[in-house]
């Protein structure tokens, strides 16, 4: 497989609204991000992915774009954006833009025009249908609740929206529309960005009248056309958000020979937690199977993304680890397991300091449209409020969106004003400042893992094999490349766990761990709660 610069990279995701507020209005902004570039540099990442910063009425915090060529007022100006790209570049950091082109805002001029009349030239940029028997054309559902069809009184037709009614879906069958998207992408590429993260890109081949939402027949044709017309000629990194991808589909996206994307986010490991609003504990054996399958099946014919969390998901220590007694140990263990696999790792802001889920007392403390819609729907069915709140505590998207915890001063040093979303009270002891001052912190552990990848081809290119498959407490695997071998051993429980290595232990030296005195590799060893150790031969 041809080597690419981003094979060795680590990406850091920023949710701009919650990262750093420079002017005291309570909302994070571009100047705030610029002020924290040295922090990001210190961590060692070389790409930042910015959740959307384009002009938006914020029905879905920027995932509803009204102008792709302008910056959201609260976040700053295009000059600030140019400055961010330049300042990041100076530090060897590339900027990956979020590309939201499955839908626009209903306040985008295309939709404002489209709405005017059935024969408006922009009408066909979106998806319309006459009522069927006085109703929605079919039973397609919006991911944020209710029907995916919204009635437009003026024209007497419905339009399609897989997300909020303020996020009408674009019609990718329209070639003019596609060309306008490519022009816009080239505008950003010319600014010197490093790549794109593509929001719900699996939906652009939709065929709503056949009830096809994801992986429609034209999806890969459109992606190859996009590649050819935009980033294909440049050396960029691209990643699609692909909830419905299995390993075969992920190879279609990411096999370099097909000239589509660099890689795809798939969510099979995340989905082991079960239903979004009624999650269950995951099974370690299932996690091993799923993660090993992705490692093995994409080897040499695709490329993996490695992630535990993002702005839509609960915090990793709360969902997959222990956010109480063993918060620090489990955060480092989960990072170790992931970062020694093959693929490009993505760190979500605050993950590197072990930020946790939050439990706000009242629904009024929440902001996320998905959460608020779910709450209303369930209240309307007569469900008890405290049961609904448990769903929100476990899975609500605001768990990931509370302001970044910079220090132990008021509002966690995020803002001098009143934050748009409350901070998590645990900022007094979970914050970036204390992490940076403590060389045993989660932050420094992430840094070590990032550097380890950068300096070891075995992590980037080595093959993968699961070891001690049946161990019900320990997830362990080997990576090997030429003569180099790495063994990663992770205890996923709050108990001691036994493990034994079958190969030659004498050549394996410990190079990373989350306890100060971890055991040498041996055929019979005991790991402490959430202990994670990495060994390498020399
Ligand atoms: O998410 C796609 C998506 O399907 C999510 O809504 C997901 O199912 C849900 O959040 C899980 O709780 C992308 C963005 O990441 C998300 O923030 C946007 O709201 C959505 O697209 C619409 O653009
Ligand atoms: Ca601000």
């Amino acid at each position: 497989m041809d080597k690419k610069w981003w094979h060795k990279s680590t990406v850091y995701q920023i949710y701009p609204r919650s990262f750093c507020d420079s002017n005291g209005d309570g909302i994070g902004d571009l100047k705030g991000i610029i002020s924290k570039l040295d922090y990001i540099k210190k961590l060692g990442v070389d790409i930042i992915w910015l959740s959307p910063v384009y002009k938006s009425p914020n029905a879905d915090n920027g995932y509803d774009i009204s102008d792709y060529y302008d910056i959201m007022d609260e976040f700053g100006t295009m000059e600030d954006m140019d400055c961010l790209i330049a300042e990041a570049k100076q530090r060897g950091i590339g900027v990956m833009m979020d590309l939201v082109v499955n839908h626009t805002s209903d306040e985008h001029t295309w939709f404002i025009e489209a709405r005017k009349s059935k024969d408006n030239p922009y009408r066909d940029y979106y998806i319309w249908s006459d009522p069927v028997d006085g109703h929605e054309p079919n039973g397609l559902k919006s991911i944020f609740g209710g029907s995916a069809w919204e009635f437009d009184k003026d024209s007497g037709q419905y339009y399609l929206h897989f997300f909020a009614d303020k996020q009408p879906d674009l019609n990718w069958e329209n070639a003019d529309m596609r060309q306008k998207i490519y022009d816009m992408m080239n505008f950003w590429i010319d600014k010197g960005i490093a790549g794109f993260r593509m929001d719900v890109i699996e939906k652009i081949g939709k065929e709503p009248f056949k009830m096809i939402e994801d992986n429609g027949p034209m999806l890969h044709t459109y992606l190859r056309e996009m590649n050819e017309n935009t980033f294909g000629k440049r050396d960029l990194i691209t990643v699609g958000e692909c909830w419905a991808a299995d390993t075969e589909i992920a190879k279609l996206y990411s096999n370099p020979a097909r000239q589509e994307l660099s890689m795809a986010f798939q969510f099979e490991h995340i989905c082991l937690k079960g239903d979004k609003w009624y999650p269950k504990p995951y099974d370690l054996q299932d996690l091993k199977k799923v993660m090993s399958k992705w490692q093995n099946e994409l080897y040499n014919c695709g490329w993996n993304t490695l992630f535990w969390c993002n702005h839509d998901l609960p915090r990793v220590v709360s969902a997959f680890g222990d956010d109480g007694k063993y918060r620090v140990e489990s955060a480092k263990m989960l990072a170790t397991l992931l970062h020694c696999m093959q693929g490009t790792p993505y760190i979500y802001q605050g993950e590197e300091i072990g930020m946790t889920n939050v439990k706000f007392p009242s629904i009024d403390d929440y902001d996320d449209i998905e959460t608020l819609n779910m709450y209303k729907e369930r209240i309307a069915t007569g469900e008890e409020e405290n049961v609904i709140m448990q769903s929100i505590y476990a899975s609500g998207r605001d768990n990931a969106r509370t302001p970044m915890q910079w220090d132990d001063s008021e509002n966690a040093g995020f803002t001098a004003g009143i934050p748009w979303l409350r901070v998590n009270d645990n900022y007094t002891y979970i914050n970036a400042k204390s992490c940076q001052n403590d060389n045993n912190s989660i932050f420094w552990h992430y840094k070590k893992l990032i550097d380890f990848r950068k300096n070891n081809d075995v992590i980037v290119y080595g093959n993968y094999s699961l070891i001690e498959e049946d161990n019900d407490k320990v997830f362990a695997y080997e990576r090997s490349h030429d003569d180099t071998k790495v063994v990663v051993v992770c205890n996923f429980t709050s108990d001691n766990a036994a493990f034994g290595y079958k190969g030659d232990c004498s050549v394996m030296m410990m190079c990373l761990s989350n306890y100060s005195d971890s055991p040498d590799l041996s055929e019979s060893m005991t790991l402490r709660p959430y202990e994670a150790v990495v060994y390498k031969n020399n």
Side-chain angles (χ1 to χ4, degrees):
M1 190 139 115
D2 281 353
K3 296 192 172 173
K4 300 282 187 192
W5 62 272
W6 39 262
H7 285 161
K8 276 192 159 147
S9 293
T10 302
V11 183
Y12 185 82
Q13 183 191 353
I14 294 178
Y15 196 68
R17 206 174 183 76
S18 304
F19 194 59
C20 179
D21 173 23
S22 72
N23 62 353
D25 67 355
I27 299 174
D29 45 53
L30 296 179
K31 286 209 170 84
I33 298 173
I34 295 169
S35 75
K36 297 297 184 186
L37 283 172
D38 288 330
Y39 169 83
I40 294 166
K41 172 82 187 161
K42 194 191 274 182
L43 187 58
V45 304
D46 46 14
I47 301 172
I48 50 180
W49 150 25
L50 293 185
S51 274
V53 296
Y54 314 91
K55 188 79 85 189
S56 165
N58 282 310
D60 185 18
N61 285 351
Y63 284 91
D64 49 321
I65 296 168
S66 55
D67 188 350
Y68 294 103
Y69 290 91
D70 204 352
I71 300 295
M72 193 186 298
D73 291 329
E74 298 92 313
F75 289 175
T77 62
M78 193 57 93
E79 286 69 53
D80 297 335
M81 188 65 215
D82 292 334
C83 176
L84 170 57
I85 295 170
E87 289 285 330
K89 192 166 275 175
Q90 238 176 48
R91 292 166 176 80
I93 297 171
V95 175
M96 180 194 267
M97 294 295 277
D98 214 314
L99 184 77
V100 189
V101 292
N102 171 67
H103 46 267
T104 67
S105 163
D106 65 342
E107 298 180 35
H108 193 287
T109 49
W110 297 344
F111 194 73
I112 293 171
E113 283 300 313
R115 224 173 192 172
K116 285 184 178 161
S117 71
K118 285 186 189 168
D119 53 13
N120 187 287
Y122 291 95
R123 184 79 176 178
D124 188 52
Y125 277 31
Y126 297 87
I127 297 171
W128 302 89
S129 170
D130 288 328
V132 174
D133 300 331
H135 294 288
E136 290 82 6
N138 60 36
L140 282 177
K141 292 273 173 251
S142 158
I143 289 158
F144 293 161
S147 169
W149 297 100
E150 179 74 10
F151 191 60
D152 175 54
K153 272 199 228 86
D154 293 344
S155 66
Q157 288 192 314
Y158 287 92
Y159 66 85
L160 180 77
H161 62 92
F162 281 137
F163 294 91
D165 52 2
K166 282 184 68 64
Q167 292 167 298
D169 271 58
L170 284 165
N171 173 21
W172 274 73
E173 286 176 19
N174 185 300
D176 290 341
M177 190 285 292
R178 297 204 303 276
Q179 190 55 51
K180 290 223 168 73
I181 295 289
Y182 304 151
D183 293 346
M184 176 274 288
M185 291 173 71
N186 286 324
F187 165 85
W188 285 101
I189 291 173
D190 290 341
K191 280 190 178 289
I193 62 165
F196 294 106
R197 175 267 183 184
M198 302 186 183
D199 193 62
V200 289
I201 201 68
E202 62 189 351
K203 295 196 190 307
I204 64 173
K206 67 204 132 207
E207 294 204 356
F209 300 104
K210 295 186 182 154
M211 307 288 284
I212 298 175
E213 193 167 332
D214 302 314
N215 300 314
M218 289 297 282
L219 168 62
H220 297 280
T221 311
Y222 294 148
L223 285 176
R224 286 199 295 276
E225 181 187 78
M226 176 193 281
N227 178 306
E228 195 183 320
N229 283 278
T230 61
F231 52 83
K233 297 173 209 93
R234 326 277 189 102
D235 198 10
L236 299 193
I237 173 173
T238 52
V239 52
E241 187 201 17
C242 306
W243 283 81
D246 58 19
T247 50
E248 289 310 309
I249 294 171
K251 286 186 226 171
L252 300 179
Y253 289 116
S254 68
N255 187 329
R258 290 176 52 86
Q259 309 204 341
E260 294 189 15
L261 305 180
S262 312
M263 63 194 99
F265 289 123
Q266 56 81 21
F267 295 79
E268 203 178 340
H269 58 307
I270 300 292
C271 293
L272 294 175
K273 292 282 297 175
D275 186 87
K276 160 106 189 181
W277 295 116
Y278 304 93
K280 54 168 192 190
Y282 62 96
D283 180 276
L284 180 63
Q285 294 306 333
D286 292 342
L287 186 71
K288 289 189 198 182
K289 271 188 212 121
V290 166
M291 295 185 95
S292 301
K293 175 180 73 181
W294 281 88
Q295 287 292 298
N296 292 326
E297 292 192 16
L298 265 56
Y299 189 63
N300 276 335
C301 56
W303 192 255
N304 272 300
T305 53
L306 304 170
F307 72 99
W308 288 118
C309 36
N310 66 31
H311 64 294
D312 294 331
L313 302 174
R315 290 285 178 178
V316 59
V317 275
S318 302
F320 286 89
D322 172 352
D323 61 8
K325 183 171 178 199
Y326 293 113
R327 184 183 63 88
V328 174
E329 290 81 359
S330 66
K332 292 179 185 172
M333 183 279 286
L334 290 160
T336 307
L337 182 91
L338 196 74
H339 282 249
C340 292
M341 289 187 172
Q342 185 174 48
T344 300
Y346 290 74
I347 300 167
Y348 178 67
Q349 67 182 43
E351 178 185 338
E352 78 282 11
I353 60 170
M355 279 176 65
T356 68
N357 280 358
V358 74
K359 291 182 180 170
F360 292 139
S362 157
I363 188 65
D364 300 331
D365 296 319
Y366 287 88
D367 168 89
D368 167 37
I369 182 170
E370 182 184 49
T371 301
L372 299 180
N373 287 356
M374 181 280 294
Y375 178 88
K376 271 185 234 139
E377 272 183 18
R378 283 169 64 181
I379 284 287
T381 66
E383 209 175 318
E384 263 186 57
E385 185 179 25
N386 72 15
V387 177
I388 309 175
M389 293 309 285
Q390 296 310 315
S391 286
I392 297 173
Y393 295 160
S395 306
R397 301 197 297 182
D398 286 337
N399 281 312
R401 300 176 183 186
T402 60
M404 176 71 185
Q405 294 164 203
W406 292 107
D407 58 37
D408 63 2
S409 69
E410 207 185 342
N411 288 317
F414 161 72
T415 179
I418 301 164
W420 71 279
L421 182 69
R422 283 178 54 173
V423 299
N424 190 324
D425 287 341
N426 61 23
Y427 73 87
T428 51
Y429 62 96
I430 302 177
N431 61 65
K433 188 174 173 198
S434 67
C435 270
Q436 287 175 89
N437 292 337
D438 167 11
N439 56 17
N440 271 321
S441 68
I442 301 170
F443 179 92
W444 290 106
H445 193 80
Y446 268 87
K447 184 178 173 51
K448 282 182 207 156
L449 288 166
I450 294 166
D451 292 345
F452 190 59
R453 162 177 305 272
K454 239 185 254 166
N455 298 323
N456 287 282
D457 267 359
V458 58
I459 300 300
V460 184
Y461 294 109
N463 69 11
Y464 168 97
S465 83
L466 183 65
I467 51 182
E468 260 211 15
E469 229 174 295
D470 296 333
N471 193 317
D472 59 4
K473 291 183 172 168
V474 176
F475 189 159
Y477 60 86
E478 251 172 20
R479 305 287 312 277
S480 46
H481 185 60
D482 301 331
D483 296 332
T484 312
K485 179 175 275 192
V486 163
V487 174
V488 180
V489 186
C490 296
N491 178 2
F492 264 71
T493 72
S494 53
D495 306 322
N496 284 347
F499 175 79
Y501 183 65
K502 304 283 177 309
D504 180 3
C505 298
S506 66
V507 292
M508 303 302 293
M509 302 294 153
M510 189 194 324
C511 46
L512 261 168
S513 86
N514 62 350
Y515 279 76
S516 58
D517 51 353
S518 285
D520 289 333
L521 190 62
S522 80
E523 59 195 24
S524 161
M525 54 198 279
T526 303
L527 297 161
R528 285 158 292 183
Y530 296 103
E531 186 156 337
V533 202
V534 181
Y535 306 90
K536 189 181 148 210
N537 65 356
N538 297 64

